Amino acid sequence: MSAVSVKHLYVTLSSRNEAASIITDLSFNIASGKILGMVGESGCGKSTLALALCGLLPARTSLIEGSIKIGEEELVGMSPRKLRLIRGSKVAYIPQDPMAALNPTITIGAQLMEAPREHLNLSRKDSKKLALELLDLVQLPSSEKFLRKYPHELSGGMRQRIMIAIAMSCKPILIVADEPTTALDVTVQAEILRLFRKITSESGTAVIFVSHDLGVVSQISDEIAVIYAGEIVEYGSRKDVTHNPLHPYTYGLLSSVPELNDQDARWMAMPFIGGKPPDVYERPTGCRFAPRCSFRGIDDCESTHSELIELAPNHWARTKHPIKNNLIDLPRDLNQSYVEHSDANQSILRVSNLVKIYGAGALAHKAVDDVSLEISKGTTFGLIGESGSGKSSLASCILQLNGSYLGDITFEGKDISQGSTKDLRELRRRMQVVFQDSHNSMNSKMTIGKLIGEPLEIFGSDTPDQIEVRVKERLHAVGLNSQIMDRYPRQCSGGELQRACIARALILNPSLLICDEAVASLDVSNKAQILNLLREIQAVEGLTILFISHDFATINAVSDKIGVMKNGKMVEQGEPAEILLRPQHWYTKQLVASVPQLERVN
Amino acid sequence: QAASAAKAKPKSTAKAVPNVPQRPVTVAMAVDPVSLNPLEQRVTDTYSELRNIYDPLIDSDGKSKKLTPILAKSWKFIDPKTLQLTLRSGVKFSNGAAFTADDVVYTVKALLGKLPESKPALAAYLYPTLTDAVAVNATTVNLITSSPTPRLPIILPQLLIIPNNSLGAGSTLTTTPVGTGAYKFVSYTPQKELVLTAKSDYFLGKVLIPKVTFKTIPDVTSRLFSFSTGEVDLIYGLLPSQIRSLGGNPFVKVVSKPSTRMAAIWLDTLNVPALKKLKVRQALNYAIDRQGITKGLFQGQATPTNALAPTFFDPLDNKLKPYTYDPAKAKSLLKKAGFADGFDMTIMVPQARYILGVEAATAVASQLQAIGVNATIQEVSFADFAAKTAVRDIPEAFFGSYGSSGPDPLLLYNAVVRTGVGFSWYNNPTLDALLDKAQSAADEAVYSKALIDAEGIIYSQAPFIFLYANNITWGLDKRLAFKPNPIQVINLFKAKWIS
Amino acid sequence: MDFKKRGEMSDLIKTQAESSPLKSHGLRLYIARRLLQSLFVFFIVVTVIFVISRMAADPVATLLPPGATPIDRENLRQSLGLDKSLIDQYVIYLNNLIHGDFGISTLYNVPVLPLVLNRCVPTFALALFAILWASVLAIFLGVLASLRPGSIFDRILGGIVSIAQGTASFWLAVVLLYIFSVKFRIFPVTGNSEGLKSFVLPGISLGLAPFVAILRLTRSSMIETLKTGYIRNANSRGLKTTRVVINHAMRNIAEPILSYAGILFGGLASGAVITETIFAWPGIGQLSMQGISLGDYALVQAVTMLASLTVILLNLIVDLINLKLNPVAREKVKQYGKL
Amino acid sequence: MENFNSAMTEANISIKRRTRRRIISLWIGLSILFLFIVASILTFFLHKGAYEGNLMKTFLPPQWQSGGSNGHFLGTDELGRDLLSRIFYGIRESLLIGPISVILASILGLTFGLLSGYRGGWLDSLLMRITDGILSIPILLLAISVIGVIGASTLTLIVVLAISQWMSFVRLIRAEVIQLRQKQFILASRAIGANDWRIMFKHLLPHLIPSALVLATLSLPNVILLAAGLDFLGIGSTPPKPTLGGMISGGLKYLVNAPWMAIAPGLALMFLVVGINMVAESVREKLEQSA
Ligand SMILES: Nc1ncnc2c1ncn2[C@@H]1O[C@H](COP(=O)(O)OP(=O)(O)OP(=O)(O)O)[C@@H](O)[C@H]1O
Ligand SMILES: Nc1ncnc2c1ncn2[C@@H]1O[C@H](COP(=O)(O)OP(=O)(O)OP(=O)(O)O)[C@@H](O)[C@H]1O
Ligand SMILES: [Mg+2]
Ligand SMILES: [Mg+2]
């Protein structure tokens, strides 16, 4: 018998004046000890599902219909009181951000012991014993001293381990983990994934693992459900789904997972699914994926809504036209391959022995420790490293946005460290930056048009009309419609906004563009499109790019040269292929090994 | 002038009803005593409280020239500048020490700042001519003045006698007063209460009320509330409207007595062109509806006046024809004076100082507006008021209510109309000459004539807008026999419970 | 998937071993820093009061009796050092303060400092009473309201609080006095001599404003706290609401409420001026009211300085308590000696 | 499906209801304020009744009570002045002084908060210590000290009230600027070469307006109450301007005989504050929702 069985689940949420059916007709089972990976783009209803399964949706504004059976208990229609007793004991929840989920003012020991004391009526002593066992289970030092620690004393990975320990504390039937590793570094993510596997197989707890990253899901899951616009579009064993995708959406997701070993990545356009999932209020009546599907129009799929069909044994898909196996060899749009820009030997930026120290005296902290690098004109330098390794610090030193530092930076043949205010102004024109969080790096109180035109306003003597013309040109170049000029940042999607950021950075025609995690917060398709765009612009305009990322696949796809940072030091530099195939430093080796990858069939 | 003490004594005790049990009395006061040292205060309330602990040499009833011997048996001028007093013997301070001439000398020296390392005490300004005191023998003392001061005895009631050598280093007088008075000091909690008990061997007779508590209640409404609930037995300074609210209360008695304070608008006749004109000043006086103010605002608890001094002061000319309420006449006078279109006149008035003072000033201003004078009022805190009048920084006029420090019109005139003195904004050599004459007149007839003439000048020259004399309203428990005094001194020596 | 055990453990060890450079004396450093800061703040207060006192057209005029002569005035001017330059006056003033000389009360003719200190106790007792009922009731009601924002209870309470805020405390005081003391004779009209009974009416009028403020603060910070990830997560563990509120949320709203203590006390000191006058309460509020109406500025200034000194010290203490309650801040202080 | 729909509508109603409630309370608040504003405007035609009394008609009770007079809806005071006209005047005074001082406070607060938060360093420390200092002085005592020394006038009152509030504005704005300063759009603006003035006034200021607005609406009732307190103590606006606080203090003396004299202005003050509060809360909720 399956541990968890969900049948014809409908979830409707209400906000403002409208009711939105977020999830429609969702069914699946999980056996104990198995992991179900739930994958889909942002806004497809993954988190809503996770909350519904834990009975955590606010009763007053949500409506759940259908059946959720956890063990023997039917959750739908259960009284709030009973639901509370189920939560934590039968079904546990692990959220994305472990820092926000732990109370900063209470010791982790107390937080670990809470649920057992509530649900199992354990005494203080017993619950402490249990807490120590749980620490052991999640491979943390099981000492009383550790129990007395506060969340802020732990690293992100350790906190997520604590969250897992808390979830496991009452030996639940089901753990729902909503993107539990998204906020973590790859190396830590790999550890956590291993831990999940170990615990489920040992304890028999079933896990629903929600993620938007098919790579991650394919590493951990026994079964995979691909969710799109509130419904499952494909459902089957891991192998079936990743090797023989039947639904075009699954196919698109699979093809946009970059491949590390791909020697040609630098020169190939990255595949992506155009468009974005439909708004909950405007879902198509026919196949919900139809507007984005390259196979649409074959039949009436645009008008009729297909059922989930078992197309192969235990492999369901919501389509009448499954993709053929032979198509699985991922096609590349070779029309758009890029030409290498020539002046490769002419150095545009040279950083030598850069040291950045924050604080002073006993509190001094070396964020960048003796880093040297050189970038040739028209090429891309990829900088990779875990969070806190000093990538951004290095970038802002180069941009002269970070106060004083030690060492020399030469840009376009000039030492820019001792520039005057006038030199600094000139530098701003020549060197630009795009940040990770486009919502944060755009002033929400100004229109896109004003924001993009602002550098011209500051530097140029252009009239407002001239500015408008140039802004329109740039918008066009980054693939945006000029109508967007009158919109405010919050009225734009992440992808649009990141394009606007790029337009803003490029409007002064700089020679060096620094992209600090410029695509990290975008979903796969947007990420691919932006990377394609950057490389296109580089090819056309001869732009030099310093590309910072913590994601190896991304770096691999854009860089001519890669630098790996760890604890402020540059531990390794070289050609991408070199680094990937023959990493020298132990950290680089670990990094390369941790990258979640699809097992692909050859 | 001297009266016999023996006469007063049997009178006070004879009427006592022996079988009424005597209970403590609680009195509501608006402010704390400023100091427990009688020389370091200049506030009626404080004097009132300390009067029960200390005795003066001579006492007065506050309205007539009649003086009562207390610590002094008799007094006479042995020369125009020397007043000789014969002291009572056998009087004891509450610490057991006997009262002698040395105590008087010490008190005067302390007052004038003539002790080593001392400066003039706060109350010294009342005695501008007093220069020294000399003990002749144990029961005789001479008070010496710098110029002839025939009316020195009238202001001596303000001088409460402290024991010899009681001030200076290690003095406890300011925390535990020691006096010859009817009551002994028990305790003082600032902003709460001053508690006294009856002295068993008071030299003027038996003290009936066993314990007196002066309770400080600053808020006027709370004061009324605590009286109407019986928390206090005696209260004064009730507002006219509060009298009505006590009307239905069968346990209390309300007594209204004319006070010595005369309310008037001081006019700056020295600097303001309009006010320099007599016709204007008269016009202003004709514009005031005194009856309206005393009846409407004061609910009858005030009397219209045309003089500066209270009617019961002596000598006073009671035949003067009062300024009537005649706006038409006022207007025509203004016109004659060349101010048909009026003029600007700001009237400064202190807050929370005089009973209904601000309200009265407001009424005056609106009545002046009715005859075309652009009168506005400017409320200031009493501290500001005092400061501004002291530095003579006043607008065109101010509202004041001046109480005489003794029952003598001359004291009043000297303080408010004599050219160049602190509270005078008027300059009239004829008047000054009259006042000088009265000042040094040892002969009563000369003195009276000069003062009556002076009054006539003040009346007809109108350097003020005369307003009213308001009553002081006392509330007391019906069963308490106590005679309120016009200068608001609460001496409980003769008070008693009668049922 | 070949993991190097070394790398994984090194990550663990790193975070544990990343010990702070200052751990031993960071706390002391912080306390010293805060003390100095408080001292500086008090210095600013003192300076502000000095500036205000010299803004008067003629400071002497307000300090002398009406009968004073120009000579008296000149003498006083000299003894106050008013004939000297403003800087000299300031130095003299500071020097006096350091020696505990806050000036002479013109009203009582004694040094003001002992005068004021002697009368602090009743004021503190009343303030304590007011703050106790106000905070206990306000926190209780505020938490209840925050659990279901928008519920009928919340809205009724909101209405009451709004009306309470609009009720001027001086108005309420007299109306209460009239109803409960005069009409029903339940409580004494004035004074503090009838034990707890005396505290009721002045306590209510004085506590009204803090009650409103604390209730609003509790409600809004509780609503914010209940939205945080860890509260939602505590819910996902199936804990009882009361337990979530008491174990998790209360701790987190303690900080904003405690941080409000300084401002609250300042408000109480202001309120005491009016309340004590109406109820004839023998404390510094009434004293300063007397000082105000009779122009005893030295007195008012001393009360002001002491009140703000109390506020400053309170803020200091609250900061230290918050350190105790907030391990993140504590850690930070231990490490860096500052927040 | 029947069930579903009814449940859905219920869920919707609760949200709709909340919005509707907000709008209702906004409208109630606005109508109260509108009435009060009309009343203040009426005062320009009422001069006589409020200032000029009829000494023959003192202490008249409200019109509906026995002994009440037709011309005087709420009765008269100790000088026979019409209480209603005086209350209108008092409201006008509150509605003038309150907003002006709050505006003054927010302008000061915005400027200094922006400088302090953006510049940081010694300027920030100094400004913060100064605000700490002034905030530590009990506001009534501060007001009393200032007014006691330089004298009461409408201008003094406004300045004192503004002083009492601007510190909270500085603190709020500063805290917000410090938060905003860390946001990437500031770094991004610096990267495109914007100077400090541009960043402060073009980029930061628009973000600060909503919270300044919220704080302003929240401090308006406080200011009005504080002004009433000062008027109660007799150190607020210069008399004989009728003020609500002054009328309460005057009226309380006659609480036993003429209770209307204290109760009417007290209620007017209460309604004024409640009205402003209702509007303020709605504005705050609205701004929070859109944020
Ligand atoms: N109360 C609500 N009313 C209406 N729509 C809602 C409500 N809550 C969420 N939604 C919408 O439901 C959709 C699904 O949201 P959900 O958070 O479950 O997506 P997700 O797949 O977890 O996305 P992500 O990857 O970004 O976390 C979104 O489009 C969201 O805008
Ligand atoms: N302004 C600052 N003051 C003090 N320390 C800082 C400051 N900025 C960054 N640091 C510290 O410097 C180190 C490097 O930070 P940096 O932001 O450069 O890392 P990163 O590699 O960009 O990390 P991420 O991937 O999380 O963006 C971190 O330990 C960080 O805490
Ligand atoms: Mg989600
Ligand atoms: Mg970074």
Side-chain angles (χ1 to χ4, degrees), chain B residues 34 40 190-192 222 231 383, chain C residues 107 109 119 189 278 283 287 295:
Chain B
V34 161
E40 290 296 348
Q191 297 184 324
K192 192 171 174 190
S222 308
E231 267 178 42
Chain C
L107 186 59
N109 209 14
R119 308 204 185 172
V189 179
I278 291 174
L287 186 69

Side-chain angles (χ1 to χ4, degrees), chain B residues 43-375:
Chain B
V43 182
T44 314
D45 287 3
T46 307
Y47 175 81
S48 225
E49 288 160 282
L50 296 180
R51 177 64 185 83
N52 291 283
I53 306 174
Y54 295 100
D55 281 319
L57 295 165
I58 304 169
D59 207 357
S60 123
D61 63 2
K63 56 182 176 185
S64 70
K65 288 224 169 76
K66 209 183 102 208
L67 295 173
T68 321
I70 306 285
L71 288 173
K73 278 197 294 202
S74 63
W75 53 88
K76 63 171 189 284
F77 278 95
I78 53 173
D79 69 63
K81 296 204 240 173
T82 310
L83 177 70
Q84 186 165 76
L85 301 111
T86 310
L87 307 179
R88 205 186 283 271
S89 53
V91 176
K92 280 204 166 64
F93 281 99
S94 57
N95 61 1
F99 163 72
T100 68
D102 289 342
D103 298 313
V104 179
V105 171
Y106 184 80
T107 303
V108 171
K109 286 200 190 298
L111 174 78
L112 300 176
K114 294 196 150 186
L115 297 174
E117 292 177 28
S118 78
K119 47 184 204 270
L122 226 45
Y125 82 102
L126 284 169
Y127 314 92
T129 58
L130 187 62
T131 51
D132 206 356
V134 181
V136 177
N137 57 41
T139 56
T140 313
V141 68
N142 287 349
L143 297 184
I144 298 163
T145 59
S146 55
S147 57
T149 316
R151 264 147 293 278
L152 180 60
I154 291 181
I155 50 175
L156 279 185
Q158 295 284 324
L159 186 66
L160 298 175
I161 303 301
I162 60 172
N164 195 3
N165 289 326
S166 55
L167 296 172
S171 152
T172 55
L173 194 77
T174 47
T175 49
T176 357
V178 172
T180 59
Y183 290 89
K184 255 195 321 224
F185 172 83
V186 175
S187 69
Y188 170 52
T189 319
Q191 297 184 324
K192 192 171 174 190
E193 58 193 14
L194 170 69
V195 184
L196 313 175
T197 53
K199 213 185 255 175
S200 54
D201 55 348
Y202 186 49
F203 65 92
L204 287 181
K206 185 165 165 48
V207 186
L208 292 171
I209 303 294
K211 183 179 164 199
V212 176
T213 306
F214 290 96
K215 214 169 166 179
T216 309
I217 307 173
D219 186 70
V220 60
T221 314
S222 308
R223 219 153 49 228
L224 173 72
F225 286 170
S226 56
F227 176 62
S228 57
T229 56
E231 267 178 42
V232 302
D233 308 304
L234 182 59
I235 180 176
Y236 74 93
L238 289 173
L239 298 176
S241 66
Q242 294 180 331
I243 299 173
R244 269 200 296 162
S245 77
L246 291 170
N249 192 332
F251 304 107
V252 304
K253 182 164 75 183
V254 176
V255 182
S256 277
K257 287 271 165 138
S259 79
T260 60
R261 283 191 187 279
M262 308 304 287
I265 307 284
W266 265 245
L267 302 173
D268 183 356
T269 68
L270 302 176
N271 304 310
V272 182
L275 297 176
K276 284 181 180 168
K277 306 222 168 186
L278 175 62
K279 287 210 169 61
V280 173
R281 300 200 297 262
Q282 287 173 337
L284 299 183
N285 269 294
Y286 281 115
I288 302 304
D289 178 8
R290 294 180 185 75
Q291 291 290 341
I293 293 175
T294 53
K295 290 254 154 53
L297 180 61
F298 281 90
Q299 316 259 296
Q301 297 300 327
T303 336
T305 61
N306 289 288
L308 276 183
T311 45
F312 48 83
F313 272 20
D314 185 38
L316 218 54
D317 181 0
N318 292 322
K319 293 187 287 286
L320 289 173
K321 212 169 116 240
Y323 287 99
T324 47
Y325 175 45
D326 192 346
K329 187 167 180 182
K331 271 188 193 152
S332 80
L333 278 169
L334 266 188
K335 203 167 170 186
K336 275 185 208 152
F339 286 92
D341 298 332
F343 57 96
D344 290 342
M345 178 168 156
T346 302
I347 305 171
M348 178 168 79
V349 53
Q351 296 168 332
R353 173 68 182 176
Y354 307 118
I355 289 172
L356 296 176
V358 176
E359 289 81 353
T362 312
V364 166
S366 73
Q367 289 169 359
L368 293 182
Q369 279 168 10
I371 64 159
V373 174
N374 180 23

Side-chain angles (χ1 to χ4, degrees), chain D residues 4 27 31 68 73 88 103 139 252 261-262:
Chain D
F4 168 88
W27 278 107
S31 348
F73 183 67
F88 284 3
I103 289 170
I139 184 60
L252 286 175
M261 277 177 62

